[in-house]
Amino acid sequence: MLQRLVLISFLLFSTANAAELSTMDSIRSKILTSAVSLYFKARGYGKVENVTVDTSKKTLSFNLLPEGETQKLSVVIGSYMTLTIDKEEYLILQNVQTNRLWLNRIFADHMQEGIKVPIGVVSKGAGSLLLNM
């Protein structure tokens, strides 16, 4: 809670110039990269590489080397948002597309609401605050 108050105070009293906005985009990008990388690695899905984030459009893309495979999976997240459920922060990845047709069909049929990635641990509680600024 104290971290959030300090962060909010800092952001309210700082001037918003282009360099600061660029810094905020960089911080958002790092939070997203860490959250996605840790999520896929922790579940044994594979290693995430080459994460590209567009914070203005709220999109991201990355390559995933699936566990036990030799071919990379290209993943494009068409949109993301943050959500707080029972005081836990999550990144919701939506409109998921890959370079595998069968996997795209699974996402379309069974994951319309998106993939829920916890970000509280990665961001120490400030993740959704930073991502929504």
Side-chain angles (χ1 to χ4, degrees):
M1 185 62 150
L2 181 59
Q3 288 175 332
R4 288 182 190 212
L5 291 174
V6 170
L7 180 63
I8 291 170
S9 298
F10 170 76
L11 293 171
L12 287 175
F13 295 111
S14 65
T15 58
N17 62 35
E20 288 171 349
L21 291 176
S22 177
T23 300
M24 286 304 296
D25 284 343
S26 177
I27 291 169
R28 287 184 196 114
S29 180
K30 287 178 183 177
I31 290 170
L32 289 166
T33 299
S34 295
V36 170
S37 295
L38 287 173
Y39 176 81
F40 284 93
K41 183 178 179 182
R43 282 160 181 75
Y45 298 150
K47 182 180 178 184
V48 172
E49 301 173 337
N50 303 324
V51 179
T52 303
V53 180
D54 185 333
T55 56
S56 63
K57 293 181 182 178
K58 293 196 171 197
T59 62
L60 62 106
S61 63
F62 57 90
N63 290 325
L64 175 69
L65 181 56
E67 192 73 29
E69 292 190 29
T70 57
Q71 275 193 326
K72 292 180 182 176
L73 176 69
S74 297
V75 181
V76 176
I77 307 299
S79 65
Y80 66 81
M81 63 181 210
T82 57
L83 184 64
T84 303
I85 303 171
D86 296 328
K87 298 182 182 180
E88 293 291 326
E89 296 174 295
Y90 296 93
L91 177 66
I92 309 299
L93 307 176
Q94 298 174 308
N95 304 317
V96 180
Q97 292 291 308
T98 72
N99 59 340
R100 308 282 203 295
L101 184 58
W102 65 271
L103 192 52
N104 292 340
R105 289 180 180 149
I106 289 174
F107 285 128
D109 289 346
H110 302 287
M111 300 183 134
Q112 296 90 356
E113 294 180 17
I115 300 170
K116 188 168 62 169
V117 177
I119 58 173
V121 173
V122 173
S123 63
K124 296 183 177 59
S128 66
L129 176 65
L130 286 169
L131 292 173
N132 288 316
M133 297 184 108

